[in-house]
Every structure is written in C-alpha cells, then in structure tokens.
Amino acid sequence: MAHVAPTSHRRSARASHRSDRIDGSIQTTTWLGLTFALIFGLVLTGRSHVGVRAAGITLLIMLLPLTVAVFGTAVRRGLGSARAAVATGVALTFVVLRFLLH
C-alpha cells in the first residue's frame, strides 16, 4: 500500500500561494515606469527604420491594456502619487492621440 501523507500538513486545495499580496495604493515606480515606457514607445515609433518603428508600435500596443488595468486598479486601491498618475495619463493621452490622428 502506498504511503499517504497525513492531512495535517497538507495545503488546502483552495489555499492561495500568493499570501503576501501588497494591499495599498499604486507604487510611484509603477507610474513612472509606465510613463517612461510609453514615452520610449513614442520615440521608437518616430524613427525611420521599419524594424525600430515596428518595435515601438508593438511596445505601445502591449502597454495600452496594461496602463488601463493599472488605472482601473488605482480606482479601487488608490492612486499613490497623484503627480505620477497624471504624468502617466498625459503619456497615455499622447499615445492614443498618436494612434488616432496618424
């Protein structure tokens, strides 16, 4: 008969492995990182080389849903640094306008 471990030290089937989740407002470094990445994507899309421009467009397309998700989370948990959130919002506005007007 196979050995079966006692249930006293087993983890529950519904137990979460992410018990150290941080609850609180969005970190300032998150806002600044998103802002930097959005600006970097805009710079790359302004280059004349086709591959560099494609890399910039790909970066911006990947960052758009991520940035919207961070803003959605910020509504629930708090902005953190309002100035950094505004900077990210301005960068996001430039990206959206660039896609719509170009």
Side-chain angles (χ1 to χ4, degrees), residues 21 33 47-48 53 56 76 78 81:
R21 207 179 90 196
R47 300 292 180 190
S48 61
R53 181 178 292 160
R76 288 189 332 225
S81 172

Side-chain angles (χ1 to χ4, degrees), residues 23-49:
D23 288 329
S25 60
I26 304 296
Q27 303 261 333
T28 303
T29 53
T30 302
W31 292 120
L32 296 178
L34 282 171
T35 304
F36 173 77
L38 289 167
I39 292 170
F40 186 62
L42 284 173
V43 168
L44 290 178
T45 57
R47 300 292 180 190
S48 61
H49 190 277

